[in-house]
Amino acid sequence: MKRMKIGIVGCGNISGIYLTNFTQKFRRAVEVVAVCDLIPERALKAQETYKIPKAYFTDEEVMADEEIELIVNLTTPDQHCLVNTMALNAGKHAYCEKPLAINREDGEKQVALAKEKGLMLGGAPDTFLGAGIQTCIKLIEDGWIGEVVAANASMRNHGHESWHPDPGFYYKVGGGPMFDMGPYYLTALINLIGPVKSVTACTNITFPQRKITSEPLNGTMIDVEVPTHIAGVMRFENGAIATLTTSFDCYDDRWATVEVFGSRGSLLIPDPNEFGGPVKILRPGISKYEEVPIMGTYWDNSRGLGVVEMCEALQEGRMPRCSYEQTFHVLDLMCAFHEASDCGHEVELRKGYQSRKTLELGKVY
């Protein structure tokens, strides 16, 4: 596999695992030639820590670097559309952290631009490519639980203000539990079950203000702009029905739950924010869930795997697994949850997304 030369835009909290994996786990597939951050100290620290050749302090500089073939966009959600658009207009492929955008219209513009330019666009999450969820997809494909008829997913915690160094953006437009953690659960569900047809939902802002208790902003108050508790029902195109709750309003020590129910059994899916297991199955004649050995290579924190798979897709002339088709369908879904609550009726999803089969489970990049 030919190494793809990439540039990282955004050297904040999430960049560490990407840079670690790109320079160690996936170094045979990608080469990080530049990092960029509007805060120079962050870019320089990343450059020094990971031995990156170049550091830039403006988006314009990194986009002008002709050596870079693909931009990995790790900026805050409100900047995803801007940076992706700049990359595409500069003739570079773009892969961004979730979500693709903070509204459907910006997502549609990016997809149209990528098609016009003949470039690849996609993004996180790529955790569904890990051994845990891939094992579950394989079990479903092989008929272990029969036809999928329903699912239940829930993400519950009490927000990020107790641990994140700068949690304010989680409570602004483009944040909230649906846009922050929803992509992991929705991406897992559409890969396990298929495209979604429609959504109904209710939302609430339970606490209009939040107090930061983490450093360095301890004591700062946040005005909450987006719903922090979202509960809804998804109707899949194949007839299955799933419930999803995402919340920053609950105290819970078991906050990640995904269950898929079939006509001949049920699966407990691993935390979709992780790459590994455990995977558990319950079938007729068995009194309780039993653990199933996970299959595949990527069971540890392999963030960046989606970028590597996109590089492979580029060389093979096919659509990547973390494509704009998938990331836009997830964006469309998240917007539909909010809209369904606002309008009080079922919201139809855009057409066009089709989930793909499992990876070659033993593949090592």
Side-chain angles (χ1 to χ4, degrees):
M1 183 175 178
K2 176 180 172 289
R3 293 180 80 192
M4 180 74 66
K5 294 187 176 182
I6 64 176
I8 306 291
V9 179
C11 298
N13 204 46
I14 194 64
S15 66
I17 186 61
Y18 276 90
L19 283 162
T20 296
N21 286 342
F22 288 152
T23 56
Q24 297 177 25
K25 184 191 292 284
F26 301 131
R27 62 184 180 276
R28 291 184 297 174
V30 297
E31 178 185 359
V32 183
V33 298
V35 291
C36 175
D37 199 284
L38 301 182
I39 300 174
E41 293 79 10
R42 287 182 178 176
L44 291 171
K45 182 179 180 182
Q47 180 187 29
E48 179 183 7
T49 301
Y50 299 99
K51 306 297 186 290
I52 308 303
K54 291 172 278 192
Y56 295 114
F57 313 130
T58 69
D59 295 337
E60 290 76 13
E61 288 177 305
V62 72
M63 300 303 171
D65 188 329
E66 295 182 358
E67 187 180 17
I68 297 171
E69 301 170 272
L70 186 153
I71 291 291
V72 178
N73 178 2
L74 305 181
T75 60
T76 53
D78 61 325
Q79 297 299 305
H80 286 180
C81 180
L82 172 63
V83 174
N84 288 344
T85 300
M86 291 180 71
L88 295 170
N89 280 323
K92 305 180 190 304
H93 307 286
Y95 179 100
C96 78
E97 248 303 324
K98 47 77 182 172
L100 180 64
I102 62 173
N103 60 66
R104 191 183 286 110
E105 293 69 30
D106 282 347
E108 290 174 325
K109 290 176 184 176
Q110 292 177 66
V111 170
L113 182 60
K115 290 180 177 178
E116 176 192 329
K117 299 284 187 180
L119 295 166
M120 286 199 176
L121 167 70
D126 54 5
T127 46
F128 77 99
L129 298 175
I133 292 176
Q134 287 295 309
T135 297
C136 295
I137 295 171
K138 187 71 167 61
L139 290 169
I140 292 172
E141 287 180 352
D142 290 350
W144 281 76
I145 63 168
E147 295 296 319
V148 175
V149 297
N152 174 60
S154 184
M155 189 291 301
R156 309 173 301 274
N157 62 50
H158 212 270
H160 299 343
E161 60 269 29
S162 65
W163 63 270
H164 196 282
D166 189 13
F169 73 92
Y170 287 108
Y171 300 99
K172 306 302 180 184
V173 175
M178 178 57 72
F179 275 74
D180 174 38
M181 294 300 293
Y184 295 105
Y185 292 77
L186 293 169
T187 300
L189 288 169
I190 64 176
N191 276 276
L192 291 161
I193 304 172
V196 177
K197 180 180 179 181
S198 63
V199 168
T200 56
C202 292
T203 68
N204 195 30
I205 298 177
T206 307
F207 307 102
Q209 283 194 320
R210 300 272 184 149
K211 183 178 180 179
I212 299 175
T213 57
S214 60
E215 299 298 337
L217 300 175
N218 192 347
T220 304
M221 299 301 295
I222 303 170
D223 292 323
V224 178
E225 298 177 354
V226 292
T228 48
H229 189 96
I230 300 100
V233 178
M234 295 175 285
R235 188 185 305 275
F236 287 79
E237 289 186 3
N238 64 4
I241 295 174
T243 58
L244 173 65
T245 300
T246 63
S247 181
F248 285 165
D249 297 342
C250 302
Y251 293 100
D252 200 328
D253 65 353
R254 193 175 55 88
W255 61 276
T257 304
V258 183
E259 305 162 293
V260 176
F261 308 105
S263 58
R264 294 195 293 114
S266 301
L267 279 175
L268 290 183
I269 312 301
D271 183 344
N273 191 24
E274 306 292 339
F275 286 80
V279 173
K280 296 183 179 181
I281 191 168
L282 178 67
R283 303 183 74 198
I286 302 173
S287 61
K288 62 180 180 179
Y289 277 95
E290 295 180 341
E291 191 163 337
V292 178
I294 62 173
M295 300 173 282
T297 302
Y298 302 102
W299 53 268
D300 58 346
N301 192 340
S302 300
R303 277 173 171 78
L305 177 59
V307 175
V308 175
E309 200 276 334
M310 177 180 279
C311 294
E312 180 187 61
L314 275 165
Q315 294 179 33
E316 295 179 354
R318 60 171 174 81
M319 188 70 75
R321 294 295 299 272
C322 296
S323 70
Y324 57 71
E325 291 180 351
Q326 176 167 286
T327 52
F328 180 78
H329 190 55
V330 170
L331 173 63
D332 191 17
L333 268 166
M334 294 190 296
C335 293
F337 273 86
H338 286 249
E339 290 173 1
S341 177
D342 291 342
C343 69
H345 59 73
E346 198 166 6
V347 172
E348 296 284 327
L349 275 293
R350 305 288 201 271
K351 301 291 184 181
Y353 170 73
Q354 293 294 326
S355 57
R356 289 168 172 79
K357 299 295 184 181
T358 50
L359 293 175
E360 181 182 335
L361 291 177
K363 178 175 286 188
V364 178
Y365 290 104

